[in-house]
């Protein structure tokens, strides 16, 4: 859904949408598994920055919920996560803050982004919000043992014999000494 400044000049826009999986591209590592439910409203905020300088901001207030599937950072298994967040965001026209002007309204409670041209694509905002809501490193469980760095076995499923030859630098130093003694 494209939110047009021209429309917001007339009235605020309410939305309540179910976006099917695939509509929002969250990158190769994140798959959307259930419809993406997003609700809220968009309205225009006019910032008066002087007699002839009115900046038209878009304020976006709402929330979303969906389920995504990611990869465990340790064992690479699929991990499903429910994501449900609310947001209160301000988008200013791109470039308007370039001259370092002070904002005339207090925006301490909100986050500020920028829009280009004549509006804002809601899907882009939602994508950003999902990525912000997810942890940088996702693990399937705190106890996940991950993959063996040597043989690649999933250590949650089976053990391997690589542990003894772990490539710890301290061990390889001992190994060097041992080799020298043998010669
Ligand atoms: Zn894992
Ligand atoms: Zn192994």
């Amino acid at each position: 859904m494209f939110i047009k400044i021209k429309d917001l000049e007339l009235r605020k826009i309410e939305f309540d949408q179910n976006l099917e999986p695939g509509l929002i591209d969250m990158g190769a590592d994140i798959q959307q598994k259930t419809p993406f439910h997003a609700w809220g409203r968009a309205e225009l905020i006019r910032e008066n920055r002087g007699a002839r300088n009115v900046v038209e901001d878009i304020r976006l207030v709402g929330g979303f919920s969906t389920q995504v599937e990611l990869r465990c950072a340790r064992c690479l298994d699929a991990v499903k996560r429910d994501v449900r967040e609310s947001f209160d965001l301000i988008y200013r026209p791109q470039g308007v803050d370039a001259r370092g002007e002070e904002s005339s309204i207090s925006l301490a409670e909100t986050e500020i982004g920028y829009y280009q041209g004549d509006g804002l694509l809601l899907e882009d905002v939602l994508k950003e919000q999902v990525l912000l809501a997810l942890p940088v490193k996702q693990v399937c469980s705190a106890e996940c043992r991950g993959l063996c760095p040597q043989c690649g076995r999933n250590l949650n499923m089976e053990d391997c014999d690589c542990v003894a030859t772990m490539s710890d630098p301290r061990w390889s130093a001992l190994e060097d000494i041992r080799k020298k003694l043998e010669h």
Side-chain angles (χ1 to χ4, degrees):
M1 184 181 109
F2 192 75
I3 300 164
K4 275 194 204 139
I5 282 287
K6 282 259 177 298
D7 295 338
L8 291 179
E9 282 170 350
L10 303 174
R11 68 185 72 87
K12 65 173 85 165
I13 296 170
E14 309 258 352
F15 56 89
D16 188 337
Q17 296 199 316
N18 277 306
L19 306 165
E20 289 304 314
L23 266 175
I24 301 177
D25 177 12
M26 288 179 278
D29 298 333
I30 304 175
Q31 309 287 329
Q32 181 191 339
K33 284 296 167 189
T34 61
F36 196 115
H37 185 205
W39 60 91
R41 63 171 201 278
E43 62 188 323
L44 196 71
I45 293 185
R46 291 191 170 83
E47 280 188 69
N48 288 299
R49 296 187 172 191
R52 285 186 194 170
N53 188 2
V54 177
V55 174
E56 291 189 316
D57 295 342
I58 300 171
R59 184 178 184 194
L60 212 54
V61 184
F64 64 85
S65 75
T66 188
Q67 189 186 68
V68 294
E69 192 178 280
L70 316 106
R71 299 265 149 216
C72 170
R74 293 185 201 155
C75 71
L76 307 181
D77 266 2
V79 187
K80 286 195 174 71
R81 280 281 175 268
D82 292 320
V83 197
R84 187 186 172 90
E85 292 287 333
S86 57
F87 51 79
D88 186 348
L89 308 160
I90 294 281
Y91 287 85
R92 287 189 174 139
Q94 183 105 53
V96 80
D97 286 334
R99 286 155 293 170
E101 289 173 60
E102 289 288 314
S103 164
S104 58
I105 57 171
S106 168
L107 300 169
E109 299 297 311
T110 54
E111 295 170 56
I112 296 178
Y114 294 91
Y115 69 88
Q116 272 180 307
D118 54 0
L120 188 62
L121 193 63
L122 181 63
E123 286 80 355
D124 285 347
V125 174
L126 296 173
K127 170 186 170 177
E128 196 175 273
Q129 292 301 307
V130 174
L131 297 180
L132 283 173
L134 295 171
V136 179
K137 274 207 171 174
Q138 188 74 51
V139 287
C140 60
S141 89
E143 289 81 41
C144 175
R145 298 171 65 204
L147 302 178
C148 169
Q150 305 221 342
C151 70
R153 280 199 183 95
N154 185 339
L155 300 176
N156 299 316
M157 313 280 208
E158 54 181 335
D159 287 319
C160 64
D161 302 325
C162 303
V163 184
T165 56
M166 217 165 31
S167 62
D168 184 310
R170 286 165 300 180
W171 289 116
S172 58
L174 286 177
E175 184 77 0
D176 287 348
I177 293 167
R178 195 176 61 84
K179 275 187 191 144
K180 276 182 194 140
L181 291 175
E182 276 173 2
H183 289 133

